[in-house]
């Protein structure tokens, strides 16, 4: 059924995750649009210009938004991923450009799903 439902009645919570290097204005516009569609939680992995402290502070003020910045801690979490044992993804490892981004996004999504499970979303 493609009709919109009032999630407050069903108790359903929705999380969306993305990796971005965009400006805070564009990220917040994107988040506001998805909030109108019913998304409750936003798990954002920032890179590049989106990872500067001022941008991160601005994003964290948006209700329901969790922001991961580049860090050793994030790299350690990625290194513990089960993804490294997945043969289907092996062709994408250690390759530049879109392949590298695809692997990083997959690692980030695994971290986001794990967090959502711990939050019981």
């Amino acid at each position: 059924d493609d009709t919109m439902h009032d999630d407050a009645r069903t108790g359903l919570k929705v999380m969306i995750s993305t990796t971005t290097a965009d400006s805070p204005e564009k990220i917040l516009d994107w988040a506001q649009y998805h909030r109108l569609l019913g998304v409750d939680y936003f798990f954002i992995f920032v890179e590049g210009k989106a990872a500067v402290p001022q941008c991160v502070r601005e994003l964290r003020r948006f209700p329901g938004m969790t922001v991961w910045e580049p860090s050793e801690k994030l790299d350690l979490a990625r290194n513990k991923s089960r993804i490294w044992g997945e043969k289907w993804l092996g062709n994408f490892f250690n390759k530049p450009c879109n392949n590298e981004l695809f692997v990083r996004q997959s690692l980030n999504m695994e971290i986001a799903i794990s967090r959502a499970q711990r939050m019981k979303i």
Side-chain angles (χ1 to χ4, degrees):
D1 184 349
D2 289 335
T3 60
M4 300 293 257
H5 295 285
D6 181 0
D7 293 333
R9 288 182 288 159
T10 65
L12 176 69
K13 297 293 180 195
V14 178
M15 178 276 289
I16 190 170
S17 178
T18 192
T19 302
T20 185
D22 224 328
S23 70
E25 295 80 19
K26 288 183 181 178
I27 297 168
L28 292 171
D29 284 346
W30 172 88
Q32 187 60 43
Y33 170 76
H34 285 85
R35 169 68 39 86
L36 293 171
L37 295 178
V39 175
D40 301 290
Y41 299 95
F42 301 85
F43 291 176
I44 310 297
F45 294 82
V46 293
E47 301 180 343
K49 65 183 176 184
V52 298
Q54 178 182 340
C55 179
V56 171
R57 281 191 303 274
E58 189 173 343
L59 294 174
R60 286 186 172 147
R61 286 195 293 264
F62 189 85
M65 187 170 289
T66 300
V67 180
W68 280 266
E69 304 170 71
S71 67
E72 268 187 55
K73 184 178 179 180
L74 180 57
D75 288 340
L76 287 172
R78 288 174 177 154
N79 288 339
K80 293 177 184 176
S81 172
R82 63 182 279 169
I83 208 169
W84 301 112
E86 297 291 330
K87 295 188 184 343
W88 67 272
L89 202 54
N91 292 333
F92 296 101
F93 296 155
N94 302 315
K95 293 190 179 174
C97 301
N98 288 340
N99 289 322
E100 180 183 335
L101 178 60
F102 176 74
V103 170
R104 203 165 52 253
Q105 288 171 331
S106 297
L107 291 166
N108 292 345
M109 185 59 69
E110 184 177 322
I111 292 167
I113 290 169
S114 177
R115 171 73 63 92
Q117 289 171 333
R118 285 194 310 274
M119 292 174 65
K120 302 202 183 315
I121 296 175

